[in-house]
Amino acid sequence: MIKLTFTKKLIAAAACVAALAAPAQAADNDKVYRLKMAETWPSNFPIFGDAPRNMAKMAETMSNGRLKITIDSKNKHKAPFGIFDMVRAGQYDMGHSASYYWKGKVPNTLYFTTMPFGMTAPEQYGWFYNGGGMELMEKVYSKYGLMSFPGGNTGNQMGGWFQKEINSLDDLQGLKMRIPGFAGEVLAKLGAKPTNIPAGELYTALERRTIDALEWVGPSLDLRMGFHKIAPYYYTGWHEPATELQFLVNERTWKKLPADLQEILRVAMRTAAYDMYIQSYHMSAENWDLMKKAHPDIQIKSFPADVIGAMKTANTELLKEKAAADPLAKEIITSQAMYMQKSRVWTDISDKAYLNSLSSQ
Amino acid sequence: MIKLTFTKKLIAAAACVAALAAPAQAADNDKVYRLKMAETWPSNFPIFGDAPRNMAKMAETMSNGRLKITIDSKNKHKAPFGIFDMVRAGQYDMGHSASYYWKGKVPNTLYFTTMPFGMTAPEQYGWFYNGGGMELMEKVYSKYGLMSFPGGNTGNQMGGWFQKEINSLDDLQGLKMRIPGFAGEVLAKLGAKPTNIPAGELYTALERRTIDALEWVGPSLDLRMGFHKIAPYYYTGWHEPATELQFLVNERTWKKLPADLQEILRVAMRTAAYDMYIQSYHMSAENWDLMKKAHPDIQIKSFPADVIGAMKTANTELLKEKAAADPLAKEIITSQAMYMQKSRVWTDISDKAYLNSLSSQ
């Protein structure tokens, strides 16, 4: 650093004496890097949309205005599920989305958001940052000229809103449920009928019993959807224990940034991701309190042990198929399973034991 | 930001034309701020000592060397519990320690680390950042010219190593246990004899039964102490559910920093704190695995429900006394209790329900 300062001063002196243009380093200190980011979410989408804005604000302030990131929501770019392609092509420098949205295009992107019966938020951050997760994510994304970073965690997602109780595996037969992705595949193996329905039609579909159940996120984002007004059972989660959103960065953009701005961007993304986890936790607590007060009859339910057991078996079978079909998938699935094994033992004797000891009061 | 850049260029042009000294803003861009930090921990102390180093490294890289923070460990400054005073006096610009160490000097600093039967880590971060905790901490620290920030969380601390089982309240009578602070007061109310013993003498004291039990941190830092070799019972936690360390900053130092470096420092501290939480979680999982493999006979125990109940009652009584004696203490205790009430309901139906549904498999 001393060397840099020295060089800068020398160049600055030379520039003044010779009445030349501004010195190279000084020019760079003034240079404003303007990055364009596309997000999957609509304008003013709470929590998910706050994370990239929190990130951009930190980056701009820390860089004294040298790093300016503008964010286009889906209302503008019209391609909520085109973020991967747009950032890859350089149409946008960055994206804010979720890795599992790209599984149709690049199957191994599936594993970097959350998995049914997978890790909790602190376990998964441990895997990303201390357990090899970031390296595996790089292995998947680097061949597309993309860098992927954690982009904010929703915490444990609720199992969803149900019109009728699930008391046995029989109750899953033919159950029409809006539940996309890998979890939908798990339920399909057990006889349910997973469907996908646009967000704007979900309320009516559940109200008119076009579907029997649906999952969305949790109280943090379910409140505004209004499902608590029309469904009596709110099931606890199994399918998305720690949904981590994603920041995508075009590698060419990254390489153009000076080292200090790269670190500013890296740290701003990392902090915004953690901050969203805490904000989601907070808003879930606040919004569940509001729901429960307005509708005291809502019943919190957990699936019976044999239903959970069957879901878990189906999930394990699906993972085995994925691992057998692709060596990199196998490497990721094994890494996650090994990490979770150790960290879950710790979770069970720390937070879980603590919470259970208090519940027995 | 546009205005700033414009001003800089104008000044720069004027400086060159008039062959004056380097322009004010450009000079500021070159100015290196050297801050001195004192930490409570000895040299090379793992995890706790990593947090300030991680923070300093991020700050230096993000600022392109304009913010340089050097760290003195207790081996150098010899005053592990003098950090508050040294930072207040300006002898150091910053400190890394824990707020509850200052309770003898400023009683209301007690509440910003962790409390028996208090919040878990995500609940407590929610309180700090979204529930008014930072504002209350400022209320306590600002009158001493100090700013306090979260400095890294250990996660749930274990209840400690015991030579004999605790099966009833009778077993607490006369129990000699190394357990400092507020938790020690709780146990004293139930007939135990809390003692404090220097770290270097703990192993021998427990081995020779000079004490019957002790608590330290958890597997992350207990492994190197070796207690698992000499005590058969490892109790789950109740007294420090989410111990948050602390960054202290002298307010005069803070005010001297330009706005971009203030934000760099704020974000670096915030990220380093979150990162330490994840690192602690990771190391607890790793080290418990090592302990358990080397000593498979270690038994994990939880205190019986009536013992937990009595501890909780004693804790509530002590908190009531504190609240009655000081209006600001009352404000903090009430804020924490209200926040925990809502957030614990959420924790119970999210992470706890998820973990319990899997344990029943």
Side-chain angles (χ1 to χ4, degrees), chain B residues 27 38 46 87 92 208 240 352:
Chain B
V87 178
Y92 282 93
R208 299 195 182 156
E240 298 209 14
K352 197 188 84 171

Side-chain angles (χ1 to χ4, degrees), chain A residues 84 87-88 105-107 109 140-146 251:
Chain A
F84 182 102
V87 179
R88 187 183 177 190
K105 185 181 300 288
V106 181
T109 56
V140 170
Y141 279 90
S142 63
K143 65 176 73 158
Y144 303 95
L146 290 169
E251 237 175 49

Side-chain angles (χ1 to χ4, degrees), chain A residues 1-2 4-5 8-9 15-16 25 29-30 32 34 57-58 60-65 68 115-123 125-126 129-131 156 158 218-219 236-238 241 259-260 263-264 266-268 270-271 274-275 277-282 284-286 288-289 293 300 302 305 308-309 312 339 342-361, chain B residues 1-2 4-5 8-9 15-16 25 29-30 32 34 57-58 60-65 68 115-123 125-126 129-131 156 158 218-219 236-238 241 259-260 263-264 266-268 270-271 274-275 277-282 284-286 288-289 293 300 302 305 308-309 312 339 342-361:
Chain A
M1 284 313 143
I2 288 167
L4 250 183
T5 310
K8 260 191 275 179
K9 280 183 181 163
C16 278
Q25 183 63 36
N29 271 349
D30 276 350
V32 176
R34 293 177 194 278
K57 192 158 172 268
M58 284 189 274
E60 181 161 342
T61 309
M62 290 197 285
S63 68
N64 196 22
K68 283 181 115 67
M115 293 298 288
F117 301 112
M119 294 175 273
T120 63
E123 292 169 357
Y125 277 124
Y129 295 136
N130 304 97
N156 194 294
M158 290 294 284
T236 61
W238 60 279
D260 56 342
E263 180 72 353
I264 280 175
R266 186 190 72 82
V267 175
R270 192 171 177 115
T271 309
Y274 284 134
D275 276 351
Y277 171 46
I278 299 308
Q279 183 192 7
S280 297
Y281 214 95
H282 172 76
S284 293
E286 289 289 326
W288 169 244
D289 189 61
K293 276 180 185 148
I300 296 286
S302 290
I308 290 282
K312 216 180 155 198
Y339 194 87
K342 271 191 204 172
S343 61
R344 182 59 49 81
V345 174
W346 167 243
T347 300
D348 282 348
I349 64 173
S350 59
D351 289 334
K352 197 188 83 173
Y354 174 64
L355 294 166
N356 283 337
S357 76
L358 285 170
S359 306
S360 65
Q361 292 307 302
Chain B
M1 284 315 143
I2 288 165
L4 250 183
T5 309
K8 260 192 275 178
K9 279 184 182 160
C16 277
Q25 182 63 35
N29 271 349
D30 276 348
V32 176
R34 293 176 194 279
K57 193 160 171 265
M58 282 189 275
E60 181 162 342
T61 309
M62 289 197 285
S63 68
N64 197 22
K68 284 180 115 65
M115 293 299 287
F117 301 112
M119 293 175 272
T120 64
E123 291 168 359
Y125 278 124
Y129 296 136
N130 304 99
N156 194 293
M158 291 294 284
T236 62
W238 62 278
D260 57 342
E263 180 72 352
I264 281 175
R266 186 190 72 82
V267 175
R270 191 171 179 117
T271 309
Y274 285 135
D275 275 352
Y277 170 46
I278 299 307
Q279 183 193 7
S280 297
Y281 213 95
H282 172 75
S284 293
E286 289 289 326
W288 169 243
D289 189 61
K293 276 182 185 146
I300 296 286
S302 289
I308 290 283
K312 217 180 155 198
Y339 194 86
K342 270 190 202 172
S343 61
R344 182 60 48 81
V345 173
W346 168 242
T347 301
D348 282 348
I349 65 172
S350 59
D351 288 335
K352 197 188 84 171
Y354 173 64
L355 294 166
N356 283 338
S357 76
L358 285 171
S359 307
S360 64
Q361 292 308 302

